[in-house]
Amino acid sequence: MQVNASSDGHPDLELSDTELSEFGAGTGLTLTEDVRRRQIIDATISAIAELGYVKTSFARIVERAGLSSTRMVSYHFAGKSDLVQATLGTIVDRQDTFVGERLGGEQDLRRLLLGQLRAEVAFLATHPQESTALVEIGTHAATADDADVSAQVVHAIRVGRFERLLAQGTRHGVFRECDPQIMALTMRQAIDGVVLRLRQQPSLDLDACGRELADLFDRAVRAE
Amino acid sequence: MQVNASSDGHPDLELSDTELSEFGAGTGLTLTEDVRRRQIIDATISAIAELGYVKTSFARIVERAGLSSTRMVSYHFAGKSDLVQATLGTIVDRQDTFVGERLGGEQDLRRLLLGQLRAEVAFLATHPQESTALVEIGTHAATADDADVSAQVVHAIRVGRFERLLAQGTRHGVFRECDPQIMALTMRQAIDGVVLRLRQQPSLDLDACGRELADLFDRAVRAE
Amino acid sequence: MQVNASSDGHPDLELSDTELSEFGAGTGLTLTEDVRRRQIIDATISAIAELGYVKTSFARIVERAGLSSTRMVSYHFAGKSDLVQATLGTIVDRQDTFVGERLGGEQDLRRLLLGQLRAEVAFLATHPQESTALVEIGTHAATADDADVSAQVVHAIRVGRFERLLAQGTRHGVFRECDPQIMALTMRQAIDGVVLRLRQQPSLDLDACGRELADLFDRAVRAE
Amino acid sequence: MQVNASSDGHPDLELSDTELSEFGAGTGLTLTEDVRRRQIIDATISAIAELGYVKTSFARIVERAGLSSTRMVSYHFAGKSDLVQATLGTIVDRQDTFVGERLGGEQDLRRLLLGQLRAEVAFLATHPQESTALVEIGTHAATADDADVSAQVVHAIRVGRFERLLAQGTRHGVFRECDPQIMALTMRQAIDGVVLRLRQQPSLDLDACGRELADLFDRAVRAE
DNA sequence: CATGAATGAGCCTTCATTCAT
DNA sequence: CATGAATGAAGGCTCATTCAT
């Protein structure tokens, strides 16, 4: 994955889906993933999901992974930044796989957009920890210059797909004229809002949420 | 701002909005309690906005306020939690005042809802630091059980108004049937998304954003 | 009261009962005691009794006294040391008065010694806070060179009486030959032990304790 | 030392008594965990003995141990509480060993009781720092609810043995009928009193003290 | 007689990282 | 491949005291 390389016009948020799904592999991981790395990453996901990004430290991670010392983490990852990046990549991969299976070879742009929305909410239902961790990482990446992962990257990954679908749909007359950046961002934020809500209200009916959001944005984008 | 109600007027932050910001750095003067608190709160807002919630410490705050030691902060506030709470209250007050002036005595529910949306985006244009800090505080309040401010409180403040307007509008047939919780949450998240976006793209046309969001949600909620 | 001046032979622990009871007055207090000082001292006693010497700070004291700021304490007392000294004096005065009334004009040395023992335990029953605070102050005075009150002074006050009675009794053949220092110290510690025990076992039968201790030391000191 | 039982053998302090005290200051060497812990504990004992419990901080401890930073302490111990607990355990172990050697296989209850008394005073003569630190820890454990070590535990350790010997002796008719709690507590306090006294009067003849106390309690408990 | 404001030093703890095997 | 040991920096907080009215 190359963050700054893009195939066509848009400023700096253009990453093909193929490139994006390679994100998790960037540090040398292959299909025969290092078991230790995976163990640590899973512990990181659970820690971030349950403690929040801020309270997640090497100490908390090794506790969950049942490792002997924090040295284990810094041995397998270059640093905190690297660990977060790898964790982010892993989550994105899993979500991509999940969503990809759901969408199949769907070609209709409208069904593709709304399907993406609902699939991401469905992913939240089956992978609450990954989803929560993803939002946490995204949120904190946005904060500081020396953040552990680039805000640009996370944003591109998480908003880009919606943006491309919208722009394409508008060009084909499927969707009305609108600012795809704002609309995509709102979609992203809407899903993340559900993630946040789920924390305070674990009984939340996610299926209904998915339908509600799909309906909401269907009305918001459809050509008149 | 009152935490449990929808009306205005925060218990201990009722200072007039006259300018106090010129009380600057390291004068050595002993200021009156209220002025000092305000000075510290303003430094806190700017610190959170620029550094993010996590990197904002007493040390960073006193640097910005030009105070002698971090002791100054813990002298005027019971603790970090108290400071954050007071900061939150101050920001919400300022936003309430701003939005209140914009909306005037507007009675029409639709114009009230869309006006609230656009006014909050307008507030972001004139008060970017307050807006950013507000999102940061809200985000981190959602994280941990022992957060400095209650997630419930922040959520109620920031989402409640939209939710009430939506429920009311639906009852009166102005808006279509929809889940007011999800819709209100999405509005909240949409605005916060713009705040986040502004950080990476300071040239963002906020006026256009406001219109875009108003249009988006107008389509999403209007009775058919 | 003059700590170092003594009327007769023993090294540095000789203070007449009269001198001792003036201890509390040494800082200018008269019968028409300053109300504020008394208020602060009482708050100090209760704080030390309930929180322990270590956790007792100006902040805790003003809380209990309902005063506005710690400045109130440092205004009425030269410093922490002065406050502790005055508190110690007040407690010793109260105990002296209590014990004095109990012993009346008793002349018999054995009854005087055992009566002192039992009276001090009785004081503990009616004045648990004063007693606890007294032990706390005594204990912590013994610790460091720059302690708030001189260990010598506290020791002289609290052990001296027993020592003099013992020495006198031995001279008159009422008590057996023994080291009056060790014996007096043990008496002091025995009573203090009851104070400590009372904390963990508030249901303790203090009357029985008093009898038990009196019996114990009666056997320990009586001439054979 | 086992907290809940009367026998010996502390769970994690079973290091042999071979001399390790020459592992001195700032060698820069990385020592094995156990040795480092012992070094820190010894520094803690000396600090508490000389400065008192209250003034003993991580900073004072690392000074004495010649370590580079306070981080060294929190690296080897879970926290202050853990350090105090380990220190307490170490001291009790040393005293148990010392007293055990002195008493040998003594079976006679009276000689066992008085021997215990004298052996503890003898321990004070050879291990003044341990003894002083022990009293300091015990005193401060008794104070607050969130003390570093439980008052119950310390009391059980330090008074329990006397109490059991007394109860047993009374059952066998060796000692008179008396309240074993009060009597044991008084013995404990008597020995602690000598510890306190030694601070102010280092020339104290501890051998004489031991004899005096043994005589005192022999008279106090013997069957008539 | 009383008060508010300010202060520097110290506390224990947690952090991610580096140095050695 | 794995580990133990060590580290400096920073965190929020409490302390008794002093400076001004």
Side-chain angles (χ1 to χ4, degrees):
Chain A
M1 180 193 118
Q2 291 171 303
V3 168
N4 299 322
S6 54
S7 44
D8 61 67
H10 277 87
D12 58 0
L13 296 170
E14 290 291 320
L15 299 172
S16 76
D17 286 357
T18 319
E19 285 171 331
L20 282 173
S21 51
E22 286 170 10
F23 182 77
T27 50
L29 298 183
T30 70
L31 284 180
T32 57
E33 252 187 350
D34 182 4
V35 177
R36 257 297 135 77
R37 279 178 67 97
R38 167 118 189 199
Q39 179 190 14
I40 293 171
I41 287 175
D42 281 334
T44 304
I45 291 172
S46 109
I48 293 181
E50 289 167 28
L51 307 173
Y53 186 90
V54 178
K55 292 198 190 314
T56 296
S57 66
F58 283 13
R60 296 296 86 72
I61 291 168
V62 299
E63 279 172 13
R64 281 158 193 269
L67 302 172
S68 57
S69 94
T70 63
R71 188 62 185 75
M72 199 76 272
V73 178
S74 43
Y75 178 71
H76 287 281
F77 297 89
K80 192 189 181 185
S81 191
D82 184 34
L83 170 62
V84 173
Q85 202 112 7
T87 303
L88 176 62
T90 299
I91 300 175
V92 170
D93 275 354
R94 291 181 189 172
Q95 196 185 45
D96 280 355
T97 303
F98 181 92
V99 171
E101 286 172 358
R102 283 235 161 180
L103 294 183
E106 180 61 67
Q107 298 295 340
D108 180 76
L109 280 173
R110 177 170 166 261
R111 282 202 294 271
L112 214 45
L113 180 74
L114 303 182
Q116 176 81 23
L117 264 169
R118 296 194 59 175
E120 288 204 23
V121 176
F123 181 74
L124 163 57
T126 59
H127 298 70
Q129 292 209 323
E130 275 89 347
S131 300
T132 306
L134 189 49
V135 173
E136 279 286 315
I137 293 174
T139 300
H140 290 84
T143 290
D145 291 346
D146 65 335
D148 298 310
V149 291
S150 159
Q152 303 285 349
V153 171
V154 179
H155 186 265
I157 294 172
R158 309 199 67 224
V159 182
R161 180 159 312 170
F162 288 123
E163 202 172 327
R164 286 189 299 276
L165 283 173
L166 283 165
Q168 205 176 340
T170 300
R171 278 198 299 276
H172 290 58
V174 181
F175 304 139
R176 68 174 175 94
E177 291 287 336
C178 69
D179 182 331
Q181 279 199 11
I182 296 294
M183 187 61 74
L185 178 59
T186 302
M187 290 174 173
R188 171 78 275 136
Q189 288 285 103
I191 300 170
D192 287 2
V194 176
V195 175
L196 298 175
R197 192 85 201 96
L198 187 63
R199 248 187 266 193
Q200 293 170 16
Q201 190 181 327
S203 64
L204 198 62
D205 180 349
L206 290 173
D207 217 52
C209 282
R211 282 193 308 272
E212 194 79 20
L213 287 186
D215 187 23
L216 192 167
F217 286 105
D218 189 22
R219 292 165 187 269
V221 302
R222 69 181 158 207
E224 20 219 330
Chain B
M1 164 201 160
Q2 278 182 326
V3 164
N4 300 320
S6 57
S7 62
D8 305 335
H10 191 262
D12 56 1
L13 288 167
E14 295 171 342
L15 308 177
S16 76
D17 279 325
T18 54
E19 72 288 0
L20 287 155
S21 49
E22 72 271 21
F23 287 101
T27 57
L29 295 177
T30 69
L31 300 180
T32 167
E33 170 77 9
D34 287 343
V35 176
R36 194 58 101 191
R37 278 178 67 99
R38 176 121 190 190
Q39 180 191 12
I40 293 171
I41 286 174
D42 281 334
T44 304
I45 291 172
S46 110
I48 292 180
E50 289 167 26
L51 307 173
Y53 185 92
V54 179
K55 292 199 189 320
T56 296
S57 67
F58 283 12
R60 298 296 86 72
I61 291 168
V62 299
E63 277 172 11
R64 278 155 194 272
L67 300 173
S68 55
S69 90
T70 63
R71 186 63 183 78
M72 199 80 277
V73 179
S74 44
Y75 176 69
H76 288 282
F77 296 88
K80 191 189 182 187
S81 187
D82 184 33
L83 172 61
V84 173
Q85 202 114 14
T87 302
L88 176 63
T90 299
I91 299 174
V92 171
D93 272 356
R94 290 181 190 171
Q95 197 186 45
D96 280 354
T97 303
F98 181 92
V99 171
E101 285 171 358
R102 284 239 162 176
L103 294 182
E106 180 61 65
Q107 296 295 339
D108 181 75
L109 280 172
R110 178 171 165 263
R111 283 201 295 269
L112 215 46
L113 180 73
L114 303 181
Q116 176 80 26
L117 265 167
R118 297 195 57 177
E120 288 204 23
V121 177
F123 180 75
L124 164 58
T126 60
H127 298 71
Q129 293 211 322
E130 275 88 348
S131 300
T132 306
L134 190 47
V135 173
E136 279 286 317
I137 293 174
T139 298
H140 290 83
T143 289
D145 293 344
D146 66 336
D148 296 314
V149 293
S150 159
Q152 304 284 352
V153 170
V154 179
H155 186 264
I157 293 172
R158 310 198 67 225
V159 181
R161 183 158 308 171
F162 287 123
E163 201 173 326
R164 286 189 297 274
L165 284 173
L166 282 165
Q168 206 175 340
T170 300
R171 276 198 302 276
H172 290 59
V174 182
F175 304 139
R176 70 174 173 94
E177 292 286 337
C178 69
D179 183 332
Q181 278 200 11
I182 296 294
M183 187 62 74
L185 179 59
T186 302
M187 291 175 171
R188 171 78 278 135
Q189 287 286 102
I191 300 171
D192 288 1
V194 176
V195 174
L196 298 175
R197 195 80 202 97
L198 187 63
R199 250 188 268 191
Q200 293 170 16
Q201 188 182 332
S203 64
L204 198 62
D205 181 348
L206 290 173
D207 217 52
C209 282
R211 280 195 308 274
E212 194 78 19
L213 287 186
D215 187 23
L216 190 167
F217 286 106
D218 190 21
R219 293 166 187 270
V221 303
R222 69 180 160 209
E224 23 220 329
Chain C
M1 174 195 128
Q2 290 169 304
V3 168
N4 299 322
S6 56
S7 44
D8 60 66
H10 277 85
D12 61 357
L13 295 170
E14 290 288 324
L15 300 171
S16 78
D17 287 357
T18 319
E19 285 169 331
L20 282 173
S21 51
E22 286 168 11
F23 182 76
T27 50
L29 298 182
T30 68
L31 282 180
T32 57
E33 252 187 347
D34 183 3
V35 177
R36 257 297 133 77
R37 281 180 65 98
R38 166 118 190 201
Q39 179 190 13
I40 293 170
I41 287 174
D42 280 334
T44 304
I45 291 173
S46 106
I48 293 180
E50 288 168 26
L51 307 173
Y53 185 92
V54 178
K55 291 198 189 319
T56 296
S57 67
F58 282 14
R60 299 294 87 73
I61 291 168
V62 299
E63 276 172 14
R64 282 157 192 268
L67 300 173
S68 57
S69 93
T70 63
R71 189 63 186 74
M72 198 78 269
V73 178
S74 45
Y75 179 71
H76 286 284
F77 297 89
K80 192 187 181 187
S81 190
D82 184 33
L83 171 61
V84 174
Q85 200 113 7
T87 302
L88 176 62
T90 299
I91 299 174
V92 170
D93 274 355
R94 290 181 190 170
Q95 195 184 47
D96 279 354
T97 303
F98 180 93
V99 171
E101 285 172 357
R102 283 239 162 175
L103 294 183
E106 180 62 66
Q107 297 296 339
D108 180 77
L109 279 174
R110 177 169 165 264
R111 282 200 296 269
L112 213 46
L113 180 73
L114 303 181
Q116 177 78 24
L117 263 168
R118 298 196 57 178
E120 287 204 23
V121 176
F123 181 74
L124 163 58
T126 60
H127 298 72
Q129 292 211 322
E130 275 87 347
S131 299
T132 306
L134 190 48
V135 173
E136 279 286 317
I137 294 175
T139 298
H140 291 84
T143 290
D145 292 346
D146 65 336
D148 297 310
V149 291
S150 159
Q152 303 284 349
V153 171
V154 180
H155 187 265
I157 293 172
R158 310 198 68 223
V159 182
R161 182 159 308 170
F162 287 123
E163 199 172 329
R164 286 190 297 276
L165 283 173
L166 282 165
Q168 206 175 343
T170 300
R171 278 198 301 275
H172 289 59
V174 181
F175 305 139
R176 69 176 174 92
E177 290 288 337
C178 69
D179 181 331
Q181 279 199 13
I182 296 295
M183 186 61 75
L185 178 59
T186 302
M187 289 175 172
R188 171 79 277 133
Q189 288 285 102
I191 299 170
D192 287 2
V194 175
V195 174
L196 299 175
R197 193 85 202 93
L198 187 63
R199 248 187 268 192
Q200 293 171 14
Q201 189 181 329
S203 63
L204 198 63
D205 181 349
L206 291 173
D207 218 53
C209 283
R211 282 195 307 271
E212 194 79 18
L213 287 187
D215 186 25
L216 191 168
F217 285 106
D218 189 22
R219 291 167 188 270
V221 302
R222 69 180 159 209
E224 24 220 329
Chain D
M1 163 201 158
Q2 278 184 324
V3 164
N4 300 321
S6 56
S7 61
D8 304 334
H10 191 263
D12 57 2
L13 288 166
E14 295 172 345
L15 309 176
S16 75
D17 280 326
T18 52
E19 72 287 1
L20 290 155
S21 48
E22 72 271 21
F23 288 99
T27 57
L29 296 177
T30 68
L31 301 180
T32 168
E33 171 77 8
D34 287 344
V35 176
R36 196 57 103 190
R37 277 178 68 98
R38 174 123 188 189
Q39 180 191 13
I40 293 171
I41 287 174
D42 281 333
T44 304
I45 291 172
S46 110
I48 293 181
E50 289 167 28
L51 306 172
Y53 185 92
V54 179
K55 291 197 191 315
T56 296
S57 66
F58 284 12
R60 299 294 87 72
I61 291 169
V62 299
E63 279 173 11
R64 280 157 195 270
L67 301 172
S68 55
S69 89
T70 63
R71 186 61 185 78
M72 199 80 275
V73 178
S74 42
Y75 175 69
H76 288 282
F77 297 88
K80 191 187 181 187
S81 188
D82 184 35
L83 171 61
V84 173
Q85 203 112 12
T87 303
L88 177 62
T90 299
I91 299 175
V92 171
D93 273 354
R94 291 181 189 171
Q95 196 184 46
D96 280 355
T97 302
F98 180 93
V99 171
E101 285 171 358
R102 284 238 163 179
L103 293 183
E106 181 61 67
Q107 298 294 340
D108 181 76
L109 280 173
R110 178 171 165 261
R111 281 200 296 270
L112 215 45
L113 181 74
L114 303 182
Q116 176 81 24
L117 265 168
R118 296 196 58 177
E120 287 204 24
V121 176
F123 180 75
L124 163 58
T126 60
H127 299 71
Q129 292 209 322
E130 276 87 347
S131 299
T132 306
L134 189 49
V135 173
E136 278 286 316
I137 293 174
T139 298
H140 289 83
T143 289
D145 292 346
D146 66 335
D148 297 311
V149 291
S150 158
Q152 305 284 351
V153 170
V154 180
H155 187 265
I157 293 172
R158 309 199 67 225
V159 182
R161 181 158 310 172
F162 287 124
E163 203 172 323
R164 285 189 297 275
L165 284 172
L166 282 165
Q168 205 175 341
T170 299
R171 275 200 303 276
H172 289 59
V174 181
F175 305 138
R176 69 174 175 94
E177 290 288 337
C178 69
D179 181 332
Q181 280 201 9
I182 297 294
M183 186 63 73
L185 178 58
T186 302
M187 290 175 172
R188 172 78 277 133
Q189 288 285 103
I191 300 170
D192 287 1
V194 176
V195 175
L196 298 175
R197 192 84 202 96
L198 187 64
R199 253 190 262 193
Q200 295 170 14
Q201 189 181 330
S203 63
L204 198 62
D205 180 349
L206 290 173
D207 217 53
C209 281
R211 281 196 306 274
E212 194 78 20
L213 286 187
D215 187 24
L216 190 167
F217 285 106
D218 189 23
R219 292 167 186 270
V221 301
R222 69 180 158 209
E224 21 218 332

